Amino acid sequence: MARKTPAELAPKPWPSSPSDDHAGEVARQFTLNLRDAIGTKSIRAAAEAAGVNHSTLLGIMEGRTWPDLETIAKIEHGLQADLWPGRLGA
């Protein structure tokens, strides 16, 4: 059975509504933080700064894909921002 995408774990529209699924909510918060860090930059400019493909950023932002640890590290470094939301609900 295939793992659900972050967007499938939250009510529509993604990422506006909180997810009842813990992992889905972490992904949603990460996405919101990513949007804030990108700000007025284009997706391509942000991806270039992070050293990832722009389609990778789009997939994360649209909730179609789960970012792996290497991708998260590259994006945080490239955008000079802490994006991981930490432990939620603690």
Side-chain angles (χ1 to χ4, degrees):
M1 182 160 121
R3 172 169 69 165
K4 289 185 177 183
T5 66
E8 291 172 329
L9 295 173
K12 305 240 182 302
W14 169 266
S16 298
S17 302
S19 175
D20 291 334
D21 181 89
H22 180 73
E25 183 59 15
V26 170
R28 189 183 79 84
Q29 291 291 325
F30 179 87
T31 298
L32 294 173
N33 293 342
L34 177 58
R35 284 184 175 185
D36 287 344
I38 290 172
T40 60
K41 295 180 201 72
S42 71
I43 296 296
R44 288 185 186 272
E48 185 175 325
V52 298
N53 192 291
H54 74 281
S55 64
T56 298
L57 285 186
L58 284 174
I60 295 167
M61 292 177 66
E62 293 172 357
R64 291 184 285 111
T65 187
W66 293 93
D68 64 24
L69 188 54
E70 179 183 19
T71 302
I72 292 168
K74 285 180 175 183
I75 296 169
E76 286 189 332
H77 180 75
L79 298 180
Q80 293 295 291
D82 295 324
L83 304 176
W84 190 256
R87 187 171 26 156
L88 300 178

